[in-house]
Amino acid sequence: DGWYKFFKDDRPDLFVQNIQAGIDEMLNHKRVDENNIFVAGYCFGGTGVVDYVYSENALKKVKAVVAFHGNFQNLAQVHTAAVQPYVMIQAGGADEEHGDNTLLEEHLTSSSANWEISRYSNVRHGHTIWTNTRKNYQGAYYGYDASADSRSWSAMMSLFDTIVKADSATPWKSTD
């Protein structure tokens, strides 16, 4: 895909800047609680929110990012001493675009991120898109999966609820 190559390969800085611009615009809205910012992305956006946490300009006010069926085959360089937002990744177990889970885990851990990854067995890329019957570049079908869609959404909402209710001790942070 042309957009993927442009943002991921040619201009990864612009990719993150566009996400930051969206967050900045949202912060201008009077009903936004600037102390409880969560960012979720689907597919290309899921890739973007994880790339965002690796940037040196990621806002400290962003409490968590959630990626739904992102593409983590080419992991972004880490430009910060420690990733601040909590990172949640929701993906299909049969999602050929997810990438190597072990490398992704090592990448997140080496950047001092607090993270969790949930993968749903026999679920393909695009599991949250109701009308998803497209084929990917390799000819495999993407596919909606009602159970994975519901469970991944519930996991995200539970994470948000936990963080909003958390006291100043931030219990989701590791104490090691």
Side-chain angles (χ1 to χ4, degrees):
D1 286 328
W3 284 110
Y4 183 85
K5 181 179 180 341
F6 176 75
F7 281 114
K8 279 294 285 177
D9 299 342
D10 301 338
R11 293 296 310 276
D13 56 326
L14 185 59
F15 192 25
V16 170
Q17 288 170 10
N18 282 336
I19 294 167
Q20 185 63 60
I23 293 168
D24 292 343
E25 185 63 31
M26 179 189 64
L27 286 169
N28 289 327
H29 194 283
K30 64 182 177 182
R31 295 189 60 158
V32 170
D33 178 353
E34 67 179 30
N35 295 310
N36 285 304
I37 303 298
F38 303 95
V39 182
Y42 292 78
C43 196
F44 188 53
T47 305
V49 299
V50 174
D51 285 1
Y52 174 76
V53 302
Y54 296 135
S55 72
E56 62 188 344
N57 296 320
L59 286 178
K60 304 298 182 233
K61 293 180 180 182
V62 174
K63 300 283 182 90
V65 300
V66 180
F68 292 89
H69 46 82
N71 182 325
F72 305 109
Q73 294 178 19
N74 299 313
L75 301 172
Q77 289 185 320
V78 178
H79 297 284
T80 184
V83 167
Q84 295 299 315
Y86 189 90
V87 178
M88 174 183 272
I89 296 172
Q90 301 288 321
D95 183 347
E96 60 284 333
E97 295 188 27
H98 178 73
D100 185 324
N101 211 57
T102 301
L103 290 177
L104 177 58
E105 291 173 6
E106 289 172 355
H107 198 62
L108 289 163
T109 299
S110 70
S111 63
S112 301
N114 288 298
W115 57 269
E116 68 181 279
I117 299 172
S118 296
R119 300 206 57 202
Y120 302 95
S121 65
N122 302 312
V123 173
R124 302 193 72 77
H125 189 76
H127 68 270
T128 62
I129 305 169
W130 299 340
T131 59
N132 202 349
T133 58
R134 306 182 291 128
K135 289 184 179 183
N136 71 5
Y137 63 95
Q138 297 169 329
Y141 279 101
Y142 296 135
Y144 176 70
D145 186 283
S147 176
D149 183 18
S150 175
R151 291 174 61 207
S152 60
W153 183 264
S154 293
M156 178 182 70
M157 297 309 292
S158 177
L159 173 69
F160 292 175
D161 189 50
T162 299
I163 292 174
V164 168
K165 289 180 179 177
D167 63 11
S168 61
T170 55
W172 68 88
K173 294 284 187 181
S174 172
T175 57
D176 301 7

